[in-house]
Amino acid sequence: MTETSWQIYSGSRVPHDGIDRLPAPPPWRTFTGGPPLRTPPGDCGNPHAATSYRPGTDAVRQVNAALYLRRPLLVTGAPGTGKSSLAYAVAHELRLGKVLHWPITSRVTLRDGLYEYDPLTRLYAADRARHAGAGAKDDDIGDYLRLGPLGTALLPYDRPRVLLVDEIDKSDIDLPNDLLTIFEKGSYELVELARRAAPTAKVMTADSATERVEIRDGTVTCRAFPLVVMTSNGEREFPPAFLRRCVTVDLKQPASIGELTAIVRGHLGPVIGGEEDAALPAAAQEIIQRFFERRTSGLLANDQLLNAIYMCHHASFSERPETVRELADQVMPFLSGEVARADGD
């Protein structure tokens, strides 16, 4: 990245403070939450994924578009193309702290991502205090409120947090539309806190159950809109209203053996030998070739290739070559049963 480049995220995997060069948001994406909070110290939460991931040109460009426009990034692609790793790579390079991870299932609701309130524990605590003769002293509602990944990402940080909304295509049909309102407003209300006569409390966050942040007037409003990375395996279509408010990028499978080799070197070079520009061992090259050829007949994920090479590297010390090749195919089954039968393996 050069000083004159418009791109804040370059994909270099080298940490820097380029996020401070990000210009003011468009007028329609300006948020005024406060007082400003410092980003919690620490790494991205998955240093290996961050430093081994190699983004393509399209991914780098669209990450920067999402940063400039303060819009969510919808990342699609086949399994193993690095959709989740992209979030960790951006957080690592731009020094944005730990990635807030929100895994999605069909049972997840918007409220799950915003915050949790535990009224039963609060009731039991009040009952115990009463029996212990503690009097009518008010309890601390902050002991029973904890912000979720989305709720924490929308705190008024001075730098954007990175929120990974993993596999949003598995969500209930209403969740994408529910998220639209939150992403447009950049704020939400903690109902249990807003109802109180004194709607201010220090609550727990997704980062920590011990360190707390103060919520004033029962409302959270962001300051720097988070970089929201939503991943999808393409298992469903999203409403047009949702798509037009997102920046989208489709991650492709590596198109050549050279690209696959670079991925293997980045993840396993120190383990199997073949760091930097050194050639990978012949056995690893053979498995890469086999993976590349079989991929034309069915769905395979890049992490299957990594698993196969790692296993076969260790098996090669005691197994015959033909047994090692058999192991490689067993660790790389097609992800579609029909295609696997056609392959005859």
Side-chain angles (χ1 to χ4, degrees):
M1 185 183 67
T2 65
E3 287 297 326
T4 58
S5 173
W6 71 275
Q7 294 184 343
I8 305 299
Y9 171 66
S10 67
S12 68
R13 306 186 300 280
V14 178
H16 59 81
D17 292 316
I19 193 67
D20 296 330
R21 296 192 296 108
L22 190 65
W28 55 90
R29 297 296 294 164
T30 299
F31 304 99
T32 57
L37 299 175
R38 300 288 295 174
T39 302
D43 63 31
C44 66
N46 191 340
H48 176 77
T51 56
S52 59
Y53 180 69
R54 286 165 168 75
T57 302
D58 286 346
V60 171
R61 183 182 297 115
Q62 296 302 76
V63 165
N64 282 284
L67 287 169
Y68 271 76
L69 297 173
R70 277 68 170 183
R71 290 291 185 184
L73 180 68
L74 178 62
V75 186
T76 59
T81 50
K83 298 184 296 294
S84 299
S85 297
L86 178 59
Y88 292 99
V90 176
H92 171 76
E93 182 180 324
L94 300 185
R95 294 174 174 163
L96 297 179
K98 183 179 179 181
V99 170
L100 295 160
H101 183 206
W102 186 20
I104 302 298
T105 69
S106 60
R107 299 179 300 276
V108 164
T109 66
L110 178 65
R111 171 68 177 265
D112 296 325
L114 291 175
Y115 69 95
E116 296 177 353
Y117 173 59
D118 188 353
L120 288 180
T121 300
R122 188 183 183 193
L123 180 63
Y124 295 150
D127 189 59
R128 287 195 301 271
R130 221 172 14 251
H131 283 85
K137 181 181 178 181
D138 287 341
D139 61 343
D140 183 358
I141 192 174
D143 290 337
Y144 314 101
L145 278 168
R146 184 170 187 178
L147 305 186
L150 173 58
T152 300
L154 290 171
L155 286 168
Y157 291 109
D158 56 359
R159 287 181 165 193
R161 294 295 301 272
V162 177
L163 171 66
L164 172 59
V165 184
D166 217 357
E167 298 190 328
I168 191 172
D169 49 338
K170 293 184 177 179
S171 71
D172 176 85
I173 192 171
D174 293 326
L175 183 61
N177 284 327
D178 292 341
L179 285 171
L180 282 183
T181 301
I182 297 296
F183 290 156
E184 289 302 299
K185 292 172 56 180
S187 68
Y188 63 95
E189 182 181 68
L190 290 84
V191 177
E192 293 79 7
L193 188 55
R195 288 172 179 164
R196 292 166 56 92
T200 297
K202 290 186 176 181
V203 305
M204 298 173 282
T205 71
D207 290 312
S208 173
T210 55
E211 297 183 10
R212 302 192 183 190
V213 297
E214 186 175 71
I215 306 300
R216 299 179 181 180
D217 300 322
T219 301
V220 171
T221 302
C222 73
R223 189 178 187 89
F225 189 78
L227 176 65
V228 182
V229 179
M230 299 182 291
T231 71
S232 169
N233 291 321
E235 296 179 2
R236 64 181 281 192
E237 293 185 358
F238 296 103
F242 178 79
L243 292 175
R244 74 181 179 85
R245 289 176 171 87
C246 297
V247 175
T248 61
V249 61
D250 185 35
L251 301 186
K252 305 296 184 182
Q253 290 278 17
S256 67
I257 288 179
E259 290 182 30
L260 286 171
T261 300
I263 291 172
V264 171
R265 182 179 289 113
H267 284 273
L268 292 174
V271 177
I272 64 176
E275 298 181 72
E276 298 180 357
D277 295 329
L280 293 177
Q285 295 182 44
E286 182 180 348
I287 295 173
I288 293 172
Q289 180 72 37
R290 174 68 170 153
F291 177 87
F292 187 75
E293 293 171 352
R294 294 181 76 231
R295 204 180 63 182
T296 62
S297 301
L299 181 60
L300 292 171
N302 295 341
D303 53 357
Q304 292 175 287
L305 171 62
L306 298 175
N307 290 337
I309 290 179
Y310 178 84
M311 288 297 302
C312 291
H313 169 71
H314 291 284
S316 65
F317 295 120
S318 57
E319 299 281 352
R320 299 189 306 275
E322 59 270 22
T323 305
V324 173
R325 286 192 291 271
E326 181 181 344
L327 174 61
D329 285 351
Q330 290 173 339
V331 178
M332 298 188 300
F334 286 113
L335 302 180
S336 167
E338 293 182 1
V339 178
R341 288 193 293 273
D343 183 67
D345 288 341

